[in-house]
Amino acid sequence: MIYDMSGIYLSSLTGVRNNSSSSSNSLDKEAFLRLLLQELEMQDPLEPMETKDMISQLSQLTSLEQITNLTSAVKDFVEAQTSVNLAQLASLIGKYVVVKNNTVNLVDGQSDSIIFNVDEDAHVVVQILDENGKVVRTEDLGTVQAGVHAWQWDGRDDSGISVEDGSYTYHIYKLTSSGLEEIGGMEGGVVEAVQIKDGEGFVLVNGSLYPVDSILEISQEGDA
């Protein structure tokens, strides 16, 4: 006995076919239904689709729909979290923060102050690198006392020649019994604005963006 099962599903699937005039590059649930409908229409009447095959494909459709719904729910959750994080970050605006920093700007031959902190008396060395990672200046500061210090680069390389204006990176090292140990530089200022990029929070300090996780200290502006 031959069973033509297409009649069971055609009435419910025809509406999907008529309402899906736009094309899609991804295999969403409507595209899956259209493929299933096409398969039913093109099947051999003498060898119709087995019931188990039909159940299998409908199960795949159910799984696809569940995954789609889950993806949508996760997206909504992420968007909600972003809104919450931005609201929390907004409370930093106007606060004085100290952030990790290893960038120094040279403008008209004048550089920003390089600020660093040592936890004990130590011999300190500063290195300035260009955008290609080449060391242009090494400065031996000698032994400095524990605490916060500032050093200003004169904009010259190791040969005493002035270098071009631009943004440079720097590394600060202290000499220990086991060798050189890097000390992170710092930058202090009032948070002017906050931003979220690709799910990561940033604060705008002195015209530059810093990741939230680079903040070392937060205080009221009047406490700075």
Side-chain angles (χ1 to χ4, degrees), residues 7-49:
I8 300 176
Y9 303 97
L10 285 179
S11 59
S12 61
L13 296 178
T14 302
V16 175
R17 178 180 58 183
N18 293 336
N19 294 330
S20 304
S21 57
S22 61
S23 60
S24 173
N25 292 327
S26 61
L27 187 60
D28 56 15
K29 61 183 180 181
E30 292 187 0
F32 191 96
L33 283 172
R34 290 198 300 272
L35 288 174
L36 181 57
L37 176 60
Q38 186 68 25
E39 186 175 359
L40 288 172
E41 291 178 341
M42 300 300 293
Q43 69 179 340
D44 186 348
L46 298 178
E47 296 182 2
M49 180 182 296

